[in-house]
Amino acid sequence: MKNKKVKFLDLGLKDYQEAWDFQEGIFKEIVYIKIKNRTDSTELETPNYLVFCQHPHVYTLGKSGKQEHLLLDEEGLESKKASFYKINRGGDITYHGPGQLVGYPVLDLDNF
């Protein structure tokens, strides 16, 4: 049986790394259940999540981006009280900040 229910989670204002770590945790939960189902012949439902949050000022650099596309140096980041992270998702430079609602789907696509 496929679980098509999606749990909506609101993390509020959350540091980018903390939100990333949270998503990694729920992703590992889904993978654990999928492995258990395959190895133990169980039929446990895997959960699906849509995580919402806002971030303090942050710039992220995706896998296909280039460091020189960030138009701020360390001083510029500090003056804006902004963080910077290299991430393993696609894209180039992305900005997130307070007041911007961000949604992160963490889904078992086999359910859909």
Side-chain angles (χ1 to χ4, degrees):
M1 173 176 266
K2 303 290 183 187
N3 175 23
K4 295 195 184 306
K5 294 178 184 171
V6 178
K7 298 176 185 177
F8 294 91
L9 304 174
D10 181 358
L11 303 182
L13 184 64
K14 184 69 78 178
D15 173 76
Y16 187 87
Q17 186 65 54
E18 290 178 36
W20 179 266
D21 292 344
F22 180 81
Q23 292 171 72
E24 285 289 312
I26 59 179
F27 172 73
K28 287 177 183 175
E29 171 194 7
I30 293 168
V31 170
Y32 173 80
I33 294 169
K34 289 177 78 73
I35 290 170
K36 184 167 180 53
N37 283 344
R38 288 184 184 144
T39 57
D40 297 348
S41 297
T42 57
E43 293 186 27
L44 302 171
E45 284 188 344
T46 52
N48 303 293
Y49 299 95
L50 185 51
V51 180
F52 290 103
C53 65
Q54 298 177 51
H55 298 299
H57 302 289
V58 63
Y59 294 87
T60 61
L61 176 65
K63 292 187 293 188
S64 59
K66 295 184 174 131
Q67 179 83 32
E68 61 266 19
H69 291 172
L70 179 64
L71 302 178
L72 296 170
D73 58 12
E74 285 294 322
E75 284 182 10
L77 288 168
E78 280 184 30
S79 72
K80 296 187 179 303
K81 296 184 172 103
S83 300
F84 174 72
Y85 295 100
K86 291 182 181 178
I87 59 171
N88 67 356
R89 293 182 176 165
D92 197 359
I93 296 289
T94 303
Y95 167 80
H96 298 293
Q100 176 193 33
L101 183 63
V102 182
Y104 297 108
V106 184
L107 309 169
D108 178 356
L109 295 178
D110 286 337
N111 287 332
F112 300 92

